[in-house]
Amino acid sequence: MADELNVAELSELSAVGELVDVSLKVDFRAVGRRLGKQVQAVAAAVAAADATALTAAYRAGTATVEVDGVPVPLEAGDLIVTETPREGWTVASGGGLTVALDLTLTPELERAGLVREVVRLIQEARKSSGLEVSDRIELWWTADGAMAEALTEHGEQVAGEVLAAAVHPGTAGEGAAFDGPEGLRFWVARA
C-alpha cells in the first residue's frame, strides 16, 4: 500500500484527535423532525460534549447525549462533523476510516523524490535509445547538490529499478547523453 500511495511509512493512529481539531453541530432539520422541541436541548448537549469522543461514538453508531437526565440517541445524519487538519497534515474521513498524511518534506524525502524522477527519466532514455525492457544497462551520471547526494545515497535502488549492471559517477565515453533536473546529466549504454 505504501508504494501505491507513494508514502514512506504507514502507521496506525491511536486517535484521530491527535491530528485534527473536531467540531460538531446538530443538523437541525434531521433532529428537529425526529425530536421536535428537544432539538435546542440536544444541540446544547452536543456543544457541551467532548467532540472527539462523541464523534468516535457517533461513527460507531452508539452516540448519545443526556438531555434533562435522559439519554437521547443520535442517529446517522443527526450530526455534522467537521475535522480541520492541524498544520502540516491533510486528513480525509469516510466510511468509518480516517487517513492522514504528514505533508512535511524532509531532505531525505526530497532526495527519495529526486531518485523516483531519475528512475523515470532513465526508463524513458532506455526506450528512446532502442533498448528492450529486459536489457541490462550501464549507467553514468554527473550532478550537483541534492541530486548528487540522492544518487550517491540511492545508487543501488536506481540500479535495481532500471536493470543497471553498473552505475558510475562521472561521464561516459559512449552512449547518448540525457539531461534531467538539478544539473543531472546521464548516459545509458547496453551492458
Side-chain angles (χ1 to χ4, degrees), residues 59-157:
R59 287 184 173 151
T62 60
T64 61
V65 290
E66 198 167 301
V67 175
D68 297 327
V70 177
V72 176
L74 297 171
E75 298 177 356
D78 284 353
L79 298 180
I80 299 168
V81 179
T82 304
E83 294 176 315
T84 306
R86 296 204 175 133
E87 188 174 336
W89 291 87
T90 188
V91 179
S93 295
L97 178 69
T98 299
V99 176
L101 293 175
D102 181 353
L103 301 178
T104 306
L105 287 178
T106 63
E108 293 82 13
L109 286 173
E110 289 175 351
R111 288 192 301 272
L114 289 173
V115 165
R116 288 178 66 92
E117 177 67 10
V118 168
V119 167
R120 184 189 66 77
L121 291 171
I122 293 169
Q123 299 295 38
E124 286 178 6
R126 288 171 59 97
K127 186 176 179 179
S128 70
S129 297
L131 297 167
E132 296 295 322
V133 173
S134 60
D135 286 343
R136 302 294 275 169
I137 64 168
E138 208 162 341
L139 173 68
W140 294 265
W141 62 269
T142 60
D144 298 318
M147 181 63 78
E149 287 178 42
L151 289 170
T152 301
E153 181 180 337
H154 298 282
E156 287 182 31
Q157 175 189 344

Side-chain angles (χ1 to χ4, degrees), residues 28-44:
F28 284 92
R29 183 174 293 169
V31 175
R33 267 186 261 149
R34 194 165 54 82
L35 299 176
K37 294 180 183 182
Q38 272 191 311
V39 71
Q40 291 299 332
V42 170

